[in-house]
Amino acid sequence: MATVEHTDGTAHGTAHAGPDTAEGGVRRRDFINVAAVSFAGVGGLATLYPLVNQMNPAADVLALASTEVDISRIQPGQAIKTIFRKQPVFIRNLTPAEIQQANAVPLGGLRDPQTLAERTRDGKANWLITMAVCTHLGCVPLGASEGENRGEYGGYFCPCHGSHYDTAARIRKGPAPTNLEVPEFQFLSDTVVKIG
C-alpha cells in the first residue's frame, strides 16, 4: 500500500490498481454495452426477416412469372387463347390483309393511339400477343375461336358492354378506355414465344 501526503499534511493509504478498479470496470462495461447492442441488432434482424420475406412473391406466383407457348400450329388468320399469371392471353397470327388493315388506320382517329409496330416485335409483325381482358370491366372478348364475333373492325368484340377492337387489338368503339394490353414477350425461336 502506498501513502499519499495531502497539502494539509495528512497521509492517506491507497490501494494498488487491479482488475476491479475503474480502468478494468470501463473495459467490462464497454464489453457489456457492445454485447447488448449486438444482441439487440441480431434480434432486430431476426424479427424483421420474416416481415420482409413475406413481401416476396409466393412460389406458385414465381412459377407463373413467365410461360412458353408453341405457336407452330397457329395458321395465318387464327388465334389461340392461353393463360399467363392466371389471366387469359390471345396469340393471333395476322394475315397480310389484317396487317395492311391495321396499318391503314389513321392514328388521329384512335382513342388510344398505337401503331401495329408498337404492339408487335420487329420482323414478327404478324404475331399479335395481348391480354384477353377487356379494358372496360375485365370481361374476356370474343374473336379468338373460329366463328366467334370479331366485332365491326375484325379484331375482338367484348359481349359484356359492346367494345369493338380492330385487327391490332386497339379499341375502336364502345366503353373500353384503352387497347388490349400487350404483355412483355420475346421469341425464343421461330416457333416458341415466352410471355413474361
Side-chain angles (χ1 to χ4, degrees):
M1 183 177 289
T3 58
V4 177
E5 188 172 321
H6 292 276
T7 53
D8 62 359
T10 59
H12 296 283
T14 60
H16 293 287
D20 293 332
T21 61
E23 184 180 330
V26 168
R27 286 187 187 139
R28 277 194 210 110
R29 195 174 320 122
D30 288 344
F31 172 77
I32 290 170
N33 285 342
V34 168
V37 168
S38 299
F39 184 74
V42 169
L45 288 175
T47 303
L48 284 176
Y49 177 76
L51 296 174
V52 172
N53 192 42
Q54 76 176 353
M55 291 186 270
N56 288 331
D60 61 338
V61 173
L62 288 175
L64 296 172
S66 66
T67 187
E68 293 180 12
V69 181
D70 180 359
I71 57 173
S72 61
R73 295 186 180 167
I74 307 172
Q75 298 300 313
Q78 290 183 334
I80 65 165
K81 194 184 318 176
T82 188
I83 300 294
F84 168 62
R85 293 183 181 162
K86 299 182 181 179
Q87 299 249 334
V89 175
F90 291 141
I91 301 176
R92 182 181 294 276
N93 187 354
L94 297 170
T95 64
E98 289 173 325
I99 293 171
Q100 185 178 10
Q101 184 181 354
N103 288 334
V105 175
L107 292 181
L110 295 175
R111 186 177 305 167
D112 184 10
Q114 282 185 314
T115 64
L116 179 61
E118 291 174 312
R119 299 176 60 74
T120 58
R121 296 294 179 263
D122 288 338
K124 304 272 189 188
N126 61 308
W127 291 107
L128 179 64
I129 300 173
T130 62
M131 300 305 294
V133 178
C134 181
T135 57
H136 178 228
L137 291 177
C139 295
V140 177
L142 302 173
S145 298
E146 193 168 333
E148 286 186 345
N149 184 356
R150 290 188 173 189
E152 293 179 22
Y153 300 91
Y156 300 102
F157 172 72
C158 183
C160 294
H161 302 98
S163 291
H164 296 257
Y165 297 88
D166 66 13
T167 57
R170 299 174 296 200
I171 184 63
R172 298 293 297 278
K173 181 180 179 182
T178 58
N179 304 329
L180 293 183
E181 178 188 352
V182 175
E184 287 295 319
F185 69 92
Q186 61 179 320
F187 287 91
L188 301 180
S189 70
D190 286 340
T191 60
V192 177
V193 66
K194 179 181 177 181
I195 304 173

